[in-house]
Amino acid sequence: MSEADPLPVTCVDPDGRLGPVVAALRTADDVAVAVVETVDDVSATAACCVLLHAPETASHSAVDGFAQLEALTDAHPEMPVALYGHDIGSMTTTTRAFTHRAVDEGVDAAITMGGNRPELIVRRVKQAAGRETHFQSDSELLDSLLDSFPHQLFVKDDVGRFVDTSALTASEYDFDRDELVGLTDYELLPHHLADELYEEEQGIMAAGEPMLNKVEHYVDIEGRSRWVNTAKAPRFDADGDPIGIVGSTRDVTDEKRQEHMVRAVHEASRDLVRAGDRTEIGEVTVAIAKDIPALPRVQVALVDADGGTLRPVDPDDQRRVYDRYAEWYDRAFDRGETLFVTADGADAVAEWTAADEPAAALIPVGDHGVFGVTTGEGTVDEFTLDLANILAANVEAALDRAERERELERQNERLEEFASIVSHDLRNPLTVADAYAEIAREDPQPRHFDKIEGALDRMAQLTEELLTLAKKGQAVGETTAVRLQDAVDEARASVGADRFTVRTADCGTVEADASRLVELLENLFRNAVEHGSSHSRPASDDAEHGTADDEAVTVTVGMLPDREGFYVADDGPGIAESEREKVFEMGYTDSEDGTGYGLYIVKTIAEAHGWTVTVVESDTGGARFEVRDVTAR
């Protein structure tokens, strides 16, 4: 049979599972395929036989290809054989174990790929039949390796002369491969370095052991720092005597630079631990990035404490990053996922691989804000993204720490507030009650018991307000749409003071924690009663407030214009303009019976909702408290 004739191949297929091989072979014009069911049917004219080895399934019995191989070898001892392992992955034996056994049994080609690789199947069968023309000679293969391999490869003899090298090794010294043969390190490098390499390689041959992963730094002729990773091993003759070395050198400059950058990020991030507040954390982050070439432009935008809006916290000269991608900063924060902005800034995607040369990466830092990075060179590569993720994680940890420290400060302030109430405000009425109880034992007069009762009432009031203050700083409960009229009615019933009238005007619905809204109104009502008695108010020509029978304090509750919030106004003496800021301070009061905590409680409840509260003069000259930033309708 000549090379020009089609290659006759017989496939032994007892149950059809050799179909992928048959189909693949029939795509080749230079292969003639015959299909038989048993080894006995194989003709001696076949140039190659393909056998099936397959496991038992629900619809097929197991086919032992190795038993078939033995029978075929007995009948046709010189016939090349390819053994096809069908569905090897489902068998108890692994693919590699199957291949090892096939080689040990003298199979010319073990095949396990599926029918989606027809060209590979054809080439493997031709290889088994000795018709494969793509393999090269040993010398051709070596030349191909040395010309094409992307790392430096070299072979030296026992005195350090180059026997052969890769093209990359030769080009490193501005030579061709054949020009480098016979030269030594002494003709290529400074002699002190050549001496070190010679001693090193002699030691490797003497020890008979390889040297692996030796990382060396040097400065090239252009003054650039570079690193290489070198491996060398002794090579031996047929008698086992060392006759030189074989080695490889790989440039690891980029890897070392990246390693140094990662280390720099970790080390520099320690400065974040010492940063005191959110603004300082943002500024330190920018300073860190300026020292790392892969992160020249970084900007952190944090949530504004009042309105929940993202705002850049770092220096003005860096604002261009946020200004350019503000829309995507907001989107990344709202979604809570990293976004990669396209080069033109018109779109952003959540997968780095889906972005076409992303110009920026925007990484959320928990509930605090967004860490943005751009290289300034048009593309955020994978390594830059890795660095950015490391730094962003450190920024988030620093912000978490700063938040915890602020919370601890607030807790300490509350403890000091409680201590003040307990040590001073509660102690005073307790002392009064104790003193008059002692007097009453000696002289049980009604006025003494009145003093004791008054002191106990004062203590009860302080205790109630202490419990309310304990809620300061806590997140409000679930907010719902609350009818302001309902909250007013509940608060009015709770206060229960005589000569106290509440009027409402156009009350709407507000988004609030219902119970805490009632607490806020209760304290405003008590404040009006406490400061609005008729004798403390100026004379009025208004008949409604001018008679002895109508001395009630009147409080009006209504909505602010444009539904910006609501107000609580009274017709009392009002609050002097110079005192309007002070009235919300803890412990401030100008009333003999006041505790100084009512309006402070009002402010803390409002702040817990994200509202603001101020006081102005009412239409009747009294006090008007306006609560704004409320979601109302």
Side-chain angles (χ1 to χ4, degrees):
M1 179 180 62
S2 69
E3 290 287 333
D5 295 330
L7 178 69
V9 176
T10 298
C11 297
V12 180
D13 187 10
D15 58 17
R17 283 184 282 180
L18 207 56
V21 176
V22 174
L25 291 173
R26 284 177 172 164
T27 65
D29 294 335
D30 55 350
V31 176
V33 183
V35 180
V36 298
E37 293 187 0
T38 68
V39 171
D40 294 338
D41 298 326
V42 176
S43 170
T45 60
C48 181
C49 183
V50 182
L51 302 177
L52 173 67
H53 184 75
E56 181 180 4
T57 67
S59 56
H60 295 94
S61 300
V63 176
D64 189 344
F66 293 100
Q68 291 186 20
L69 174 64
E70 183 177 356
L72 181 67
T73 302
D74 289 341
H76 307 286
E78 302 299 325
M79 184 174 292
V81 178
L83 184 61
Y84 178 67
H86 177 82
D87 199 16
I88 290 297
S90 68
M91 301 173 65
T92 56
T93 180
T94 66
T95 301
R96 187 177 300 177
F98 165 78
T99 305
H100 272 297
R101 183 179 177 189
V103 171
D104 291 342
E105 297 285 348
V107 172
D108 296 282
I111 303 174
T112 61
M113 69 286 298
N116 60 332
R117 298 288 182 265
E119 175 64 19
L120 185 52
I121 291 174
V122 171
R123 296 278 287 274
R124 288 289 282 152
V125 172
K126 287 183 177 180
Q127 177 187 342
R131 284 281 193 94
E132 179 57 77
T133 60
H134 293 267
F135 285 147
Q136 298 171 298
S137 66
D138 290 347
S139 61
E140 289 173 331
L141 288 172
L142 179 59
D143 277 339
S144 178
L145 170 67
L146 295 176
D147 281 337
S148 306
F149 200 69
H151 299 158
Q152 295 185 40
L153 298 175
F154 52 87
V155 182
K156 292 183 178 180
D157 67 9
D158 58 335
V159 292
R161 292 178 299 182
F162 286 100
V163 176
D164 208 343
T165 71
S166 64
L168 187 61
T169 302
S171 67
E172 185 71 17
Y173 302 108
D174 296 323
F175 286 104
D176 293 331
R177 282 177 55 201
D178 56 347
E179 293 174 333
L180 205 58
V181 173
L183 297 180
T184 71
D185 289 326
Y186 286 95
E187 288 80 55
L188 304 171
L189 301 171
H191 280 196
H192 73 279
L193 181 56
D195 280 336
E196 292 178 10
L197 294 175
Y198 185 86
E199 295 298 331
E200 177 181 86
E201 290 164 5
Q202 291 297 315
I204 290 172
M205 287 188 290
E209 296 291 336
M211 178 199 76
L212 303 175
N213 295 322
K214 179 184 179 183
V215 177
E216 300 170 287
H217 171 262
Y218 70 98
V219 179
D220 64 16
I221 59 175
E222 296 180 4
R224 299 171 302 181
S225 285
R226 295 181 62 183
W227 287 264
V228 293
N229 185 313
T230 301
K232 296 178 182 178
R235 59 191 187 93
F236 305 93
D237 62 15
D239 297 326
D241 296 324
I243 57 173
I245 67 160
V246 60
S248 69
T249 297
R250 182 169 61 91
D251 190 300
V252 292
T253 300
D254 288 343
E255 295 174 19
K256 293 301 290 185
R257 285 177 179 160
Q258 292 178 359
E259 179 184 319
H260 289 174
M261 288 182 196
V262 172
R263 187 180 302 116
V265 168
H266 281 300
E267 291 177 355
S269 294
R270 296 172 186 169
D271 293 337
L272 290 170
V273 176
R274 296 186 287 271
D277 56 24
R278 289 155 48 100
T279 299
E280 187 177 356
I281 288 170
E283 293 173 350
V284 168
T285 302
V286 173
I288 290 172
K290 284 181 178 179
D291 294 332
I292 301 172
L295 296 172
R297 295 183 187 175
V298 162
Q299 187 160 51
V300 179
L302 299 180
V303 177
D304 186 282
D306 297 326
T309 303
L310 285 180
R311 298 187 184 278
V313 298
D314 30 338
D316 289 341
D317 63 352
Q318 293 291 325
R319 287 183 64 92
R320 58 186 178 273
V321 180
Y322 177 79
D323 289 344
R324 183 173 182 182
Y325 303 120
E327 174 188 357
W328 304 119
Y329 268 84
D330 292 337
R331 186 79 60 85
F333 182 73
D334 291 341
R335 290 184 178 179
E337 63 180 354
T338 299
L339 291 182
F340 301 96
V341 185
T342 55
D344 60 3
D347 196 9
V349 295
E351 294 292 336
W352 177 78
T353 54
D356 183 15
E357 297 184 344
L362 306 176
I363 307 170
V365 284
D367 296 329
H368 307 290
V370 175
F371 175 97
V373 59
T374 176
T375 64
E377 299 175 355
T379 301
V380 175
D381 60 22
E382 190 169 9
F383 174 65
T384 300
L385 178 59
D386 288 341
L387 283 184
N389 280 324
I390 292 172
L391 188 53
N394 287 328
V395 170
E396 182 175 352
L399 290 167
D400 286 342
R401 172 193 52 77
E403 182 65 31
R404 288 194 299 271
E405 290 178 352
R406 285 196 299 272
E407 179 59 29
L408 286 174
E409 290 176 1
R410 289 193 290 265
Q411 290 177 2
N412 288 335
E413 290 173 0
R414 290 198 294 274
L415 287 174
E416 291 176 2
E417 293 168 1
F418 298 157
S420 171
I421 296 172
V422 172
S423 65
H424 181 266
D425 295 345
L426 278 176
R427 183 176 295 171
N428 288 342
L430 182 61
T431 300
V432 170
D434 185 60
Y436 276 97
E438 188 69 26
I439 294 172
R441 289 191 183 95
E442 301 289 335
D443 183 18
Q445 298 294 324
R447 65 179 183 275
H448 299 153
F449 292 105
D450 289 342
K451 289 290 186 180
I452 294 173
E453 183 178 2
L456 292 175
D457 288 344
R458 175 75 169 176
M459 291 171 62
Q461 182 182 3
L462 285 169
T463 300
E464 181 179 349
E465 294 188 355
L466 177 62
L467 292 173
T468 301
L469 279 173
K471 300 177 182 177
K472 182 193 172 208
Q474 294 177 353
V476 298
E478 181 180 358
T479 61
T480 58
V482 180
R483 291 183 68 248
L484 186 58
Q485 181 68 59
D486 293 342
V488 169
D489 293 342
E490 185 175 346
R492 174 65 183 88
S494 175
V495 172
D498 295 334
R499 298 187 303 278
F500 169 44
T501 301
V502 177
R503 296 174 178 173
T504 54
D506 185 29
C507 284
T509 301
V510 299
E511 187 74 20
D513 178 329
S515 63
R516 302 206 68 185
L517 174 59
V518 171
E519 288 179 31
L520 181 147
L521 293 170
E522 287 172 352
N523 281 279
L524 289 177
F525 293 170
R526 289 193 185 102
N527 180 77
V529 172
E530 182 179 311
H531 294 86
S533 62
S534 61
H535 66 77
S536 66
R537 285 180 282 159
S540 173
D541 295 331
D542 186 349
E544 184 177 357
H545 301 295
T547 66
D549 294 333
D550 197 3
E551 296 178 344
V553 178
T554 300
V555 177
T556 303
V557 182
M559 304 302 292
L560 292 172
D562 299 325
R563 302 285 174 171
E564 294 179 354
F566 60 90
Y567 68 87
V568 177
D570 64 52
D571 60 353
I575 301 173
E577 187 172 353
S578 60
E579 303 295 308
R580 290 174 186 171
E581 291 294 330
K582 297 179 183 178
V583 295
F584 295 107
E585 296 176 1
M586 184 185 71
Y588 177 86
T589 182
D590 61 358
S591 170
E592 181 179 347
D593 297 327
T595 65
Y597 300 114
L599 294 182
Y600 178 64
I601 291 171
V602 168
K603 184 184 74 168
T604 59
I605 293 174
E607 289 177 346
H609 281 85
W611 305 337
T612 58
V613 59
T614 56
V615 59
V616 296
E617 183 176 327
S618 71
D619 293 340
T620 59
R624 173 182 165 112
F625 293 88
E626 296 183 346
V627 182
R628 298 182 180 273
D629 300 322
V630 179
T631 301
R633 57 182 181 274

